[in-house]
Amino acid sequence: LCVVCGQAKQFLETEVQNSAEDAAVRAALSYDGHSSTDDEQLVLPSRSISNANREKRRLPLSTEICPSVEGDMDLAESDYEDMDQLDEQYTTSVENVEETQLEKKVTEDEVSESTTKESVMENITSIEVHPDDKNEEEMVVKKSQQKKKKKKQNKRTSLTSLPEEIVSNKILRKYWIRRYQLFSKFDEGIKLDEESWFSVTPERVASHIAERCRCDLIVDAFCGAGGSSIQFAFTCSRVIAIDIDPNKIELARHNADVYGVADRIEFVVGDFMTLIPTLRADVIFLSPPWGGPQYKNVDVYDIESIMEPIGGTRLYQACQNVTDNIAYYVPRNINTDQLVMLAGPGGSVEIEQNFLEKRLVAVTAYYGELIHEQA
Ligand code: MGP
Ligand code: SAH
């Protein structure tokens, strides 16, 4: 993760002129993207502008509620092979949806049994076609072709277990390939809907943010299918997870159950903007809708595009009535000037780029006491 600490941007820009981290910091500020890896930490030297005139809430930052989740979330080569297979299968499936539907009704056992039988038959047939063939090379080629065919058939079988939204929406296929990055326990029954596939916080990013937000009571204002809330349950004593969509709350509850933390989260169906006056929190985590994957269609994302017509500034300011400790998960192409402006005159913000396997996934802006202490 590449971390950039920011004060007022003007201050930052002048200060970094002579700093050793000059190039990297300016690169991060102007967002040229891919200069850092997950492992690098880039922190500006302390030039903290005091927030002292604000009332500070003490956060119990040291108690570990539960060990964090571990798992291999890196993409395997076979995942990319899967993608190719999925491409082929997808074409078939959209061309013949009815056939796919029928296929789905066949039980897994029936499918794998028939696949095995067919494969055996193929072997026999091909040997019979060339009973006297002594050319071993040709036989090897044949066998490898048979293997490929068998593999393809097995893959086709696996199509039957793909979630409906992945089969029917081509755009979601890349997220399926990344499913273990999203949830390491994906195979233990994680469920997502269309919007959640592209908006869930990937697990490693979520657990990193959760560590930084460690506190007694956190509000996850837009919990979606629970990617972030689940990780907050490992670092915070109490989690309130809010979403306006009842189906999301069902998914979040189910997914939290997969991770064994459902009983540590209070799920609330409701409009966060309406609920704010009733809330109390040490920390608020904001991961609002960005307007879908189209957020990438602009060079610089305007913070006011968040939850239009409300806008990202009003959303942030409404939270300040509850707490100054706000973590804001925003698009990687966000206008960083706007994130700095939210801190107000003399205020501070820490802007962090979240990487996964050298891929810049998103940006998180930390405010209030969530900003790392600077030397
Ligand atoms: P992405 O659209 O999946 O970008 O968003 P990707 O696939 O890295 O880009 P590409 O170059 O491969 O095309 C990256 C991450 O941003 C997702 O994994 C989500 O965590 C987050 N994200 C994306 N969207 C559209 C939203 C959103 O609307 N709201 C929130 N809170 N997060 C989102
Ligand atoms: N962080 C989540 C993803 C959030 S996506 C995760 O890791 O899974 C944004 C979510 O905001 C969507 O689920 C959407 O239903 C919800 N949402 C949109 N408007 C809302 C509102 N006014 N109040 C609460 N939730 C809202």
Side-chain angles (χ1 to χ4, degrees), residues 107-139:
T107 66
E108 296 248 340
D109 281 350
E110 279 170 336
V111 174
S112 64
E113 196 189 330
S114 68
T115 308
T116 320
K117 274 183 195 160
E118 271 179 54
S119 311
V120 173
M121 287 303 288
E122 271 171 29
N123 270 327
I124 294 168
T125 318
S126 69
I127 291 167
E128 281 174 357
V129 170
H130 303 282
D132 299 316
D133 197 342
K134 299 271 189 294
N135 186 336
E136 272 185 34
E137 217 173 279
E138 201 175 319
M139 287 296 279

Side-chain angles (χ1 to χ4, degrees), residues 286-330:
L286 297 174
S287 62
W290 305 342
Q294 302 90 302
Y295 74 88
K296 284 168 282 197
N297 296 352
V298 289
D299 285 343
V300 180
Y301 183 89
D302 180 357
I303 201 166
E304 306 313 341
S305 308
I306 288 175
M307 286 181 70
E308 275 176 326
I310 295 168
T313 301
R314 249 182 78 199
L315 170 61
Y316 174 87
Q317 287 168 346
C319 294
Q320 284 182 304
N321 294 321
V322 181
T323 179
D324 287 335
N325 307 323
I326 297 167
Y328 212 157
Y329 186 72
V330 288

Side-chain angles (χ1 to χ4, degrees), residues 19-222:
S19 148
E21 292 89 353
D22 192 338
V25 169
R26 272 189 279 115
L29 267 183
S30 58
Y31 174 66
D32 74 354
H34 307 87
S35 53
S36 312
T37 71
D38 305 35
D39 304 315
E40 291 170 29
Q41 285 270 333
L42 208 163
V43 186
L44 267 187
S46 169
R47 303 282 195 284
S48 184
I49 292 172
S50 172
N51 238 359
N53 54 348
R54 296 189 185 190
E55 184 204 342
K56 295 211 173 189
R57 284 160 212 246
R58 283 255 55 86
L59 308 178
L61 293 176
S62 56
T63 358
E64 186 156 341
I65 307 297
C66 187
S68 59
V69 183
E70 303 220 332
D72 182 8
M73 285 168 275
D74 294 338
L75 296 186
E77 208 172 293
S78 59
D79 283 330
Y80 291 102
E81 281 172 23
D82 277 355
M83 180 71 124
D84 295 341
Q85 295 292 337
L86 216 53
D87 272 344
E88 268 176 52
Q89 292 172 26
Y90 179 78
T91 317
T92 320
S93 67
V94 277
E95 276 168 5
N96 203 342
V97 178
E98 274 182 20
E99 198 180 304
T100 310
Q101 296 299 340
L102 269 178
E103 223 180 299
K104 279 190 169 176
K105 290 193 180 116
V106 181
T107 66
E108 296 248 340
D109 281 350
E110 279 170 336
V111 174
S112 64
E113 196 189 330
S114 68
T115 308
T116 320
K117 274 183 195 160
E118 271 179 54
S119 311
V120 173
M121 287 303 288
E122 271 171 29
N123 270 327
I124 294 168
T125 318
S126 69
I127 291 167
E128 281 174 357
V129 170
H130 303 282
D132 299 316
D133 197 342
K134 299 271 189 294
N135 186 336
E136 272 185 34
E137 217 173 279
E138 201 175 319
M139 287 296 279
V140 171
V141 173
K142 278 262 161 235
K143 277 195 176 159
S144 104
Q145 281 170 350
Q146 285 158 15
K147 262 190 195 163
K148 272 189 193 157
K149 205 166 180 182
K150 187 178 168 189
K151 197 172 165 192
K152 212 170 190 177
Q153 240 152 358
N154 286 336
K155 295 276 183 183
R156 194 164 295 139
T157 307
S158 74
L159 177 65
T160 62
S161 55
L162 284 180
E164 185 62 44
E165 68 277 3
I166 299 291
V167 175
S168 61
N169 186 346
K170 195 175 177 178
I171 294 163
L172 294 184
R173 284 178 292 151
K174 73 172 176 185
Y175 300 104
W176 170 256
I177 300 305
R178 295 175 188 164
R179 60 196 179 282
Y180 302 114
Q181 282 190 344
L182 303 183
F183 293 95
S184 61
K185 292 183 185 257
F186 188 89
D187 287 346
E188 291 175 40
I190 292 296
K191 288 184 192 164
L192 298 171
D193 66 1
E194 191 158 334
E195 183 182 10
S196 308
W197 273 104
F198 59 73
S199 36
V200 68
T201 315
E203 187 166 307
R204 267 189 200 156
V205 175
S207 66
H208 169 82
I209 296 171
E211 192 52 56
R212 294 207 48 175
C213 292
R214 185 177 280 275
C215 68
D216 180 28
L217 175 58
I218 192 163
V219 169
D220 184 0
F222 305 89

Side-chain angles (χ1 to χ4, degrees), residues 195 199-201 220-228 242-245 248 270-273 285 287-289 307:
E195 183 182 10
S199 36
V200 68
T201 315
D220 184 0
F222 305 89
C223 78
S228 294
I242 300 171
D243 204 286
I244 201 165
D245 176 357
K248 295 287 195 311
D271 176 355
F272 176 65
M273 296 306 286
F285 176 66
S287 62
M307 286 181 70

